[in-house]
């Protein structure tokens, strides 16, 4: 509905955020109604998405401003760093 291609795969999603997180304005039609029809509190999330494009291209998208900050956790020995390494290795192939 918002332009995500049908072959997009959600690799990860952040959920259960603290109360001070809010829905972005672009998702709201009114103070109670959202663009997708979901409850506003269900839209408080960030997703990591992958999809392939025509002619052999691909897109890896992180939907969180804290993604980069997560990379160095535990000396880069964590699942986010490993996932990015896997994606970059695949893109280099």
């Amino acid at each position: 509905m918002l332009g995500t291609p049908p072959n997009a795969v959600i690799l990860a999603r952040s959920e259960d955020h603290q109360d001070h997180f809010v829905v972005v304005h672009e998702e709201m039609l009114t103070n109670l109604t959202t663009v997708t029809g979901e409850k506003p509190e269900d839209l408080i999330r960030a997703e990591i998405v992958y999809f392939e494009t025509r002619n052999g291209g691909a897109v890896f998208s992180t939907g969180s401003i804290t993604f980069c900050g997560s990379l160095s956790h535990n000396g880069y020995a964590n699942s986010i760093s490993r996932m990015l390494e896997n994606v970059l290795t695949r893109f280099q192939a």
Side-chain angles (χ1 to χ4, degrees), residues 5-89:
N7 62 324
V9 177
I10 297 172
L11 301 176
R13 174 183 287 158
S14 68
E15 298 176 321
D16 299 324
H17 297 282
Q18 297 170 346
D19 290 339
H20 65 274
F21 285 81
V22 298
V23 178
V24 295
H25 298 290
E26 295 85 4
E27 299 283 352
M28 300 299 295
L29 293 175
T30 70
N31 63 329
L32 299 174
T33 310
T34 65
V35 172
T36 62
E38 296 175 77
K39 296 177 188 175
E41 58 272 13
D42 291 343
L43 292 174
I44 301 172
R45 62 181 182 240
E47 296 172 331
I48 298 175
V49 178
Y50 173 85
F51 62 91
E52 295 180 352
T53 63
R54 288 180 269 159
N55 300 322
V59 172
F60 175 74
S61 173
T62 63
S64 172
I65 61 172
T66 61
F67 178 82
C68 290
S70 300
L71 294 171
S72 63
H73 176 71
N74 196 32
Y76 296 90
N78 62 71
S79 57
I80 295 297
S81 294
R82 181 63 178 178
M83 178 174 43
L84 182 58
E85 179 182 2
N86 291 343
V87 168
L88 293 175
T89 299

